[in-house]
Amino acid sequence: MISKITSGFWHERLEVNAQRAIFHQWEQLEGSGCIENFRIAAGDVDGFREGWFFADSDAYKWLDAASRIYASHPSPQLATVMDEFTALLARAQQPDGYIFTYNQIHFPGTRWVNLQIEHELYCHGHLIEAGVSHFENTGRTDLLDIARRAADRIVEDFLGKGTGHTPGHEEIEIALLRLYKITNHKPYLEMARQFIEQRGRDPLFALSIIRQNSSVDSRGKYVQQKKLEYIFTHPNFKPFQLPLGNAAKKPGNTTLRWYASALSGKYFQQHAPVRKQVVPVGHSVRFGYLETAISMLARESSDKTFIPALEKTWECMVMHRMYVTGGIGSLPGLEGFGNDYELDPDYAYAETCAALASMFWNWEMAQLTGEAKYSDLFEWQLYNAAAVGMGLDGTSYLYNNPLTCRGGVSRKPWYAVPCCPSNLSRTWADLGKYIYSSSENEIFIHQYISSEYDGGIATIKINSELPWAGKVKIVVTPSTPNQFSLNLRLPSWCDGAETHITCNGELLSVSPLSQQSEMTASGYDPRDGRWYPIHRSWKSGDVIELEFEMPIRLRRAHRKVKGHQGKVAVTRGPLVYCLESVDNLEMDIFGSTIETESLESVLDTNLLGGIVKIIGQTKTGKLLTFIPYNLWGNRGESTMTAWVNE
Ligand code: FUB
Ligand code: ZN
């Protein structure tokens, strides 16, 4: 069952993704030496490898994104680049399936030495995902063959091994499960299960981290020395100008907390077996990929014993450790979680990749449990914590996403660690897959994105005015007149009284939201998302019309979140809004106090490509203008805040 996004807010962004972002990213990968590393490894050219030991993964994620984009935008130019890169990978890959340019070039014959830190399995994972996506979207097996050789190498080298043979950055598990689903080759499933089940069972983990950290350091120093020698013996060699790293405002105790987290295993989610992990800890992208993989494994193997820990972890994240944008990761040093209610807006790391990882997890949880709250959080993170990562131009990105920025964080064309851009591109390209799901007698509409879907029992066409207006029209065309349930997700941001649903013009009743016992840390609560089943005998041309009133909704943080008393976050529909200096010249956006009664939403077709902005007055009668948080940083250096004094 596939769906195609046809118009509206997301269609525009997906066009920018396919026409601009993906080509820009390839230019940056070439310009920073990342692709050249494969040419050096293949022996095509002489040169010196540039970039982090995990740089290969950025090229693989690009290939994954390009493969997914190709399905809807079969550009010959894109095909040429993909084919040439695939051929290069075939030359660079060693005959036994191993491919990791850092070792191949600098430490020939060495492999799998620092699994917790040097990302070998993470890189192979992104290669395997690219192979699966390429096959799914082109039907070709040339890249899939490379991916399978890599996967078979890993099965050969790791299946049956114990706790000391797990990856420090989860990803390979997702890749192997995706590969299993298209090949039905059991060893891939077993390998993924082993990597998941073996986590958190090494009593000497701290010692292995100390050893590996020191080995990584000495290997890094050796590479630096080799580079100096290479430059000396190759006077014409011009080292690539690697981009800058991202800037993030950090609390004082960052390094100490990183070491504590790393040595305890929490940074890597290696502190306990996965069924005992019920609190989100450590690096937030690693965390999100692990939870995604566990959810995929639970579905694939029908192993329900994983579910309680998944549900408790999700609850704890939403209740205590997530920003109002849906961003996760409070500590820049860890690129990960702090303590409960530790949600400082200035320090907010909330990496773009972490939001994407959480969205992947939420999609799997929605399929695993059938509960609407997961698709509610998916929507909220999509529109806010993830969408903020790509500029309107498709060629500028944010890596960490503070909720208050007093300067120093701005969109960049690339980063020294460019993990987010192609992660966004591959997710945008696949967005259609997250709108619907169906079974033999049910269709679920998870997202209100304009699209068309063949659900087998019926085709569905959605025309949605979200996020600017609340009108959604759904045309249902059953393959033959038949009875089934069409399940609409009623979003947490719209109460029953604000939701109007008609079926062929007949008004249907909608019950009010039930009150939650305890409020979340951020004031946004996906647990209010619920399903609205319409069970009937459908006939061709049936029309469901929804109208979500989209009042401005003020979110207030839990009293345990320091520094937020007397502040509100302004939201409307699925969007979080913010004050950006560009729209509020001469105003102190951090010190102003808003007259909340004065807030009103206004369509402004001339602002940022046409948006609904929110205007209001300060207590002293001055005008303040709010824009969607995901659009800040599109107009040069600026300051911004999503939390405002009331
Ligand atoms: O370590 C690989 C990726 O680079 C992580 O997922 C991101 O946080 C960035 O550090
Ligand atoms: Zn990233």
Side-chain angles (χ1 to χ4, degrees):
M1 318 297 177
I2 52 165
S3 68
K4 186 170 174 294
I5 291 175
T6 51
S7 64
F9 179 88
W10 283 105
H11 183 257
E12 291 160 21
R13 277 155 179 75
L14 269 55
E15 285 304 303
V16 169
N17 188 40
Q19 312 282 5
R20 300 192 60 191
I22 198 69
F23 295 104
H24 165 80
Q25 291 165 20
W26 179 259
E27 284 163 24
Q28 295 295 328
L29 287 166
E30 279 285 24
S32 56
C34 181
I35 308 302
E36 193 71 352
N37 293 340
F38 292 97
R39 298 188 183 103
I40 297 168
D44 290 3
V45 298
D46 181 24
F48 195 84
R49 185 190 184 281
E50 292 290 358
W52 280 85
F53 36 70
F54 51 72
D56 296 353
S57 63
D58 301 316
Y60 300 146
K61 244 186 287 187
W62 179 87
L63 193 46
D64 186 353
S67 301
R68 300 183 195 194
I69 285 172
Y70 190 75
S72 57
H73 295 75
S75 109
Q77 185 192 357
L78 192 57
T80 304
V81 177
M82 284 200 291
D83 291 352
E84 287 174 0
F85 185 39
T86 300
L88 171 56
L89 291 177
R91 295 197 301 277
Q93 186 177 34
Q94 296 190 319
D96 69 358
Y98 183 83
I99 178 168
F100 188 65
T101 62
Y102 185 70
N103 276 339
Q104 287 174 257
I105 296 165
H106 295 314
F107 306 97
T110 309
R111 53 180 67 172
W112 314 135
V113 285
N114 292 317
L115 287 179
Q116 293 306 319
I117 299 175
E118 286 188 352
H119 288 61
E120 282 170 285
L121 289 166
Y122 170 87
C123 288
H124 281 86
H126 278 301
L127 168 63
I128 292 166
E129 283 216 69
V132 173
S133 296
H134 190 260
F135 173 71
E136 286 177 338
N137 290 293
T138 67
R140 286 170 41 186
T141 59
D142 43 346
L143 184 56
L144 181 62
D145 293 345
I146 294 171
R148 287 202 68 165
R149 280 199 294 276
D152 294 341
R153 174 77 275 122
I154 288 164
V155 169
E156 190 69 31
D157 289 353
F158 288 96
L159 198 57
K161 293 276 179 63
T163 58
H165 300 83
T166 56
H169 192 312
E170 298 88 340
E171 156 58 24
I172 186 66
E173 307 83 353
I174 294 174
L176 289 167
L177 287 165
R178 284 190 66 198
L179 186 59
Y180 169 67
K181 283 172 80 165
I182 64 164
T183 61
N184 215 22
H185 183 58
K186 279 278 185 213
Y188 299 147
L189 174 64
E190 288 322 307
M191 187 71 258
R193 181 202 302 279
Q194 176 184 311
F195 281 137
I196 290 167
E197 292 283 14
Q198 289 298 330
R199 287 195 92 75
R201 298 178 189 273
D202 178 358
L204 304 176
F205 184 81
L207 287 179
S208 75
I209 282 297
I210 292 167
R211 179 193 64 73
Q212 293 189 35
N213 220 21
S214 124
S215 165
V216 169
D217 280 352
S218 53
R219 283 157 55 90
K221 289 189 177 84
Y222 168 77
V223 172
Q224 284 314 310
Q225 183 52 37
K226 272 185 71 179
K227 182 168 185 174
L228 293 174
E229 289 163 12
Y230 189 87
I231 291 169
F232 183 71
T233 53
H234 298 74
N236 298 330
F237 171 68
K238 288 188 182 49
F240 285 96
Q241 287 312 308
L242 291 177
L244 291 174
N246 63 312
K249 191 173 170 187
K250 296 188 170 92
N253 55 3
T254 277
T255 308
L256 202 61
R257 290 185 76 170
W258 184 89
Y259 276 106
S261 182
L263 292 175
S264 68
K266 288 183 177 176
Y267 176 82
F268 309 91
Q269 298 79 41
Q270 292 270 28
H271 56 293
V274 293
R275 290 177 187 78
K276 293 198 179 343
Q277 295 192 28
V278 291
V279 173
V281 292
H283 184 279
S284 42
V285 184
R286 288 174 167 83
F287 161 82
Y289 283 2
L290 173 61
E291 299 305 302
T292 302
I294 297 170
S295 312
M296 290 170 76
L297 179 61
R299 276 180 73 198
E300 207 54 58
S301 59
S302 310
D303 180 344
K304 297 200 181 315
T305 62
F306 289 114
I307 295 177
L310 288 165
E311 290 177 329
K312 286 191 194 105
T313 305
W314 186 88
E315 187 86 3
C316 180
M317 178 180 81
V318 165
M319 294 303 292
H320 307 134
R321 299 193 174 192
M322 187 173 78
Y323 286 96
V324 71
T325 54
I328 51 176
S330 311
L331 301 176
L334 269 74
E335 297 186 304
F337 292 97
N339 301 316
D340 284 0
Y341 302 109
E342 185 178 7
L343 295 165
D344 184 297
D346 284 76
Y347 294 144
Y349 200 73
E351 182 179 345
T352 301
C353 285
L356 297 169
S358 180
M359 287 164 57
F360 304 154
W361 176 31
N362 276 286
W363 174 249
E364 291 303 327
M365 288 301 281
Q367 305 309 304
L368 182 64
T369 67
E371 293 193 54
K373 63 187 180 184
Y374 299 112
S375 296
D376 207 272
L377 181 51
F378 181 101
E379 176 188 61
W380 197 262
Q381 290 177 320
L382 171 65
Y383 278 99
N384 301 296
V388 68
M390 187 184 288
L392 279 173
D393 56 15
T395 59
S396 60
Y397 303 92
L398 285 175
Y399 180 120
N400 51 304
N401 297 289
L403 273 74
T404 296
C405 173
R406 301 166 198 269
V409 173
S410 59
R411 293 184 185 280
K412 301 277 189 314
W414 210 239
Y415 289 95
V417 177
C419 49
C420 304
S422 49
N423 217 356
L424 279 162
S425 283
R426 70 177 183 146
T427 308
W428 276 198
D430 254 10
L431 195 56
K433 291 182 180 167
Y434 298 109
I435 300 173
Y436 307 90
S437 62
S438 56
S439 64
E440 61 280 358
N441 55 9
E442 291 199 284
I443 291 181
F444 291 82
I445 295 180
H446 298 262
Q447 303 303 331
Y448 296 105
I449 295 174
S450 296
S451 54
E452 292 169 5
Y453 175 66
D454 179 353
I457 50 179
T459 57
I460 305 285
K461 187 169 170 29
I462 294 179
N463 190 43
S464 167
E465 297 179 11
L466 261 65
W468 308 125
K471 282 195 179 147
V472 179
K473 182 177 178 182
I474 302 169
V475 178
V476 182
T477 310
S479 35
T480 55
N482 60 17
Q483 277 222 6
F484 63 86
S485 287
L486 177 66
N487 298 277
L488 309 174
R489 177 179 60 86
L490 299 187
S492 63
W493 43 264
C494 202
D495 199 339
E498 301 158 339
T499 306
H500 312 287
I501 306 176
T502 61
C503 177
N504 297 332
E506 181 207 336
L507 190 62
L508 306 178
S509 72
V510 183
S511 49
L513 280 177
S514 50
Q515 283 312 309
Q516 296 291 352
S517 54
E518 189 201 345
M519 71 172 285
T520 63
S522 70
Y524 156 69
D525 195 340
R527 297 174 301 169
D528 290 335
R530 64 262 185 229
W531 287 117
Y532 185 89
I534 303 176
H535 187 86
R536 67 194 302 274
S537 294
W538 297 89
K539 59 185 186 325
S540 187
D542 280 348
V543 176
I544 302 289
E545 293 188 282
L546 296 116
E547 172 138 22
F548 301 114
E549 292 176 27
M550 298 221 290
I552 292 167
R553 198 177 291 282
L554 302 179
R555 309 291 172 149
R556 292 177 179 84
H558 191 287
R559 58 182 168 67
K560 289 184 180 173
V561 182
K562 281 200 207 99
H564 284 64
Q565 305 324 312
K567 290 183 184 293
V568 289
V570 177
T571 71
R572 178 177 179 271
L575 294 176
V576 174
Y577 279 72
C578 69
L579 290 175
E580 187 174 17
S581 51
V582 184
D583 304 300
N584 298 283
L585 301 175
E586 318 304 321
M587 293 297 290
D588 171 7
I589 60 174
F590 305 106
S592 295
T593 300
I594 189 78
E595 181 56 75
T596 52
E597 296 305 312
S598 69
L599 289 169
E600 58 174 310
S601 56
V602 177
L603 178 64
D604 186 330
T605 52
N606 300 316
L607 185 56
L608 289 160
I611 65 167
V612 169
K613 66 187 179 185
I614 291 176
I615 57 176
Q617 298 205 338
T618 64
K619 295 282 190 204
T620 54
K622 298 221 178 75
L623 176 69
L624 283 176
T625 299
F626 295 79
I627 63 165
Y629 171 77
N630 71 40
L631 288 174
W632 92 275
N634 273 292
R635 297 168 288 178
E637 284 283 339
S638 66
T639 59
M640 174 281 298
T641 184
W643 287 101
V644 185
N645 299 325
E646 62 167 330

